[in-house]
């Protein structure tokens, strides 16, 4: 009995000591230069301020930097981290390294997978509903093709592809499926694989697709994010294909899209399905904070929604998305 009491008292003391430790959380992103990730960080900072924890932001462009960042967080006595990894196949390495360092981990945007491509169930995840959001892209483009009264046989669709990333494949396949459902000919869809998910690589990929398919009168473009579609739009411009003959719809709605939609004259970047950097940055951080402080375990998977934003409705969409 005495021993039990003593053990209980020790446990209570340990818990109290733990609770008193300042909370420190890492937020690791694969492409720190991308406006979407800048926004996530900004909202994570907001969560840190609201809840009173320290946020450590680290860019992890490759596996080596990612592993070093996790060890570094442990050395600084952080208790956990949110991560969008440079390669989802590093999932097992993330899981092991977090466990070894006694860090809690939540993934954001890109779901981590094991060697066979299966999602790692022990790591809670918040991502976008990729296929549904991709469909919104395709539906938005199909509506614009109809509004312009283009003959679909004369339209080429560039799918800027990054199929090794599951969410990227889901997004672009959702877009293509919606186009096909609207009567778009499957044979007019051209895959343009990009080596990295940024504008420069999308530009190079789209350029090849355009060169090889000069037969089309009009073009549309889809990709996993705004940067991918912007690459296609810029490549088309380089070949004299401007706003009246290009309808590109991205995914994201962060600064890159905003700049484009606010240029005085419309470009081939017709719109973007806006997704919630606020939820992805703020809510993942709060979920992790609650987990660390024993206030609650994060949901295993949260998939967030998007809204089609164009020049015509951008103010309204931003308001509705709370951003
Ligand atoms: C992926 C993409 C980003 C962003 C995010 C939600 O990580 O690479 O551009 O779209 O999903």
């Amino acid at each position: 009995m005495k021993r039990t009491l003593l053990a209980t008292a020790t446990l209570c003391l340990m818990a109290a000591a733990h609770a008193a430790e300042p909370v420190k959380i890492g937020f690791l992103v694969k492409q720190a230069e991308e406006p979407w990730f800048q926004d996530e960080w900004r909202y994570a900072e907001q969560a840190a301020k609201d809840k009173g924890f320290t946020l450590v932001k680290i860019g992890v462009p490759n596996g080596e930097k990612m592993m070093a960042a996790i060890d570094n967080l442990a050395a600084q006595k952080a208790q956990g981290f949110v991560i969008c990894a440079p390669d989802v196949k590093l999932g097992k390495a993330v899981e092991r390294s977090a466990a070894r360092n006694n860090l809690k981990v939540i993934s954001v945007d890109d779901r981590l997978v094991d060697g066979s491509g299966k999602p790692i169930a022990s790591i809670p995840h918040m991502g976008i509903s990729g296929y549904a959001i991709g469909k919104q892209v395709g539906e938005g483009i199909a509506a614009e093709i109809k509004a312009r009264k283009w003959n679909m046989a004369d339209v080429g669709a560039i799918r800027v592809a990054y199929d090794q990333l599951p969410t990227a494949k889901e997004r672009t396949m959702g877009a293509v499926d919606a186009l096909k459902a609207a009567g778009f000919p499957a044979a007019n869809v051209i895959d343009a694989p990009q080596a990295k998910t940024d504008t420069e690589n999308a530009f190079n990929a789209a350029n090849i697709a355009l060169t090889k398919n000069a037969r089309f009168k009009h073009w549309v473009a889809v990709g996993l994010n705004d940067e991918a579609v912007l690459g296609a739009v810029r490549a088309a411009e380089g070949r004299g294909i401007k706003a009246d003959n290009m309808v590109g719809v991205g995914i994201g709605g962060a600064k890159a899209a905003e700049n484009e939609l606010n240029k005085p004259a419309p470009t081939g970047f017709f719109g973007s399905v806006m997704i919630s950097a606020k939820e992805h940055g703020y809510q993942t951080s709060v979920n992790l904070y609650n987990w660390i402080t024993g206030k609650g375990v994060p949901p295993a998977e949260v998939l967030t929604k998007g809204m089609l934003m164009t020049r015509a409705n951008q103010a309204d969409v931003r308001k509705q998305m709370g951003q």
Side-chain angles (χ1 to χ4, degrees):
M1 179 64 182
K2 242 192 191 155
R3 194 175 275 174
T4 320
L5 270 177
L6 200 68
T8 314
T10 317
L11 270 178
C12 286
L13 271 175
M14 277 170 65
H18 188 73
E21 260 175 39
V23 175
K24 193 183 263 191
I25 287 176
F27 206 114
L28 279 47
V29 303
K30 62 179 182 181
Q31 271 163 292
E33 71 288 354
E34 191 182 304
W36 165 262
F37 294 109
Q38 293 284 332
D39 280 355
E40 276 186 344
W41 271 353
R42 192 158 49 79
Y43 287 113
E45 288 281 16
Q46 190 62 52
K49 224 158 118 209
D50 290 354
K51 299 288 172 184
F53 60 83
T54 304
L55 185 77
V56 185
K57 298 176 292 188
I58 313 176
V60 291
N62 56 49
E64 201 183 320
K65 294 225 164 80
M66 181 192 80
M67 296 308 282
I70 299 172
D71 287 341
N72 180 276
L73 282 173
Q76 322 184 25
K77 299 210 171 358
Q79 296 93 343
F81 61 96
V82 178
I83 186 166
C84 180
D87 180 349
V88 289
K89 292 196 195 71
L90 293 165
K92 276 284 162 194
V94 172
E95 188 187 39
R96 271 197 297 270
S97 167
R100 188 181 64 237
N101 285 308
N102 201 20
L103 294 162
K104 292 194 162 48
V105 51
I106 295 182
S107 58
V108 71
D109 303 336
D110 301 351
R111 179 134 216 203
L112 292 164
V113 297
D114 64 17
S116 64
K118 237 178 62 222
I120 297 185
S122 70
I123 302 180
H125 177 68
M126 185 186 290
I128 68 167
S129 26
Y131 189 78
I133 283 170
K135 272 178 72 181
Q136 288 174 276
V137 169
E139 283 159 9
I141 292 176
E144 189 57 20
I145 290 178
K146 287 201 176 118
R148 295 182 183 204
K149 300 196 168 55
W150 288 351
N151 178 353
M152 292 215 192
D154 300 333
V155 186
I158 301 180
R159 182 178 79 95
V160 178
Y162 193 72
D163 289 348
Q164 58 267 55
L165 177 62
T167 181
K169 189 167 183 188
E170 284 164 22
R171 297 174 196 185
T172 54
M173 294 318 274
V176 167
D177 284 352
L179 280 173
K180 285 192 207 156
F184 196 85
N188 292 12
V189 179
I190 296 137
D191 283 355
Q194 57 180 165
K196 219 187 130 195
T197 57
D198 59 15
T199 301
E200 189 186 337
N201 283 278
F203 177 93
N204 295 336
N207 221 358
I208 298 170
L210 288 162
T211 312
K212 284 193 181 158
N213 297 279
R215 66 185 180 281
F216 293 112
K217 263 202 212 152
H218 320 285
W219 286 92
V220 301
V222 305
L224 95 154
N225 58 15
D226 291 330
E227 284 70 17
V229 171
L230 276 171
V233 167
R234 293 288 99 88
E237 283 168 355
R239 309 178 68 84
I241 305 159
K242 306 265 168 67
D244 50 348
N245 279 313
M246 162 60 92
V247 176
V249 173
I251 293 173
K255 200 77 196 165
E258 191 184 320
N259 288 345
E260 197 67 19
L261 294 177
N262 288 316
K263 283 183 175 170
T267 70
F269 190 85
F270 179 75
S272 172
V273 175
M274 186 171 190
I275 52 178
S276 180
K278 187 174 182 183
E279 229 175 310
H280 287 226
Y282 191 95
Q283 202 52 50
T284 50
S285 306
V286 169
N287 288 353
L288 182 57
Y289 173 81
N290 287 342
W291 196 11
I292 289 167
T293 53
K295 292 190 180 74
V297 174
E301 188 180 40
V302 179
L303 297 177
T304 59
K305 292 191 171 66
M307 280 181 80
L308 179 64
M309 175 171 79
T310 63
R311 279 180 177 254
N313 69 356
Q314 37 170 341
D316 187 44
V317 169
R318 286 192 189 284
K319 208 163 105 201
Q320 285 194 55
M321 298 286 292
Q323 281 182 224

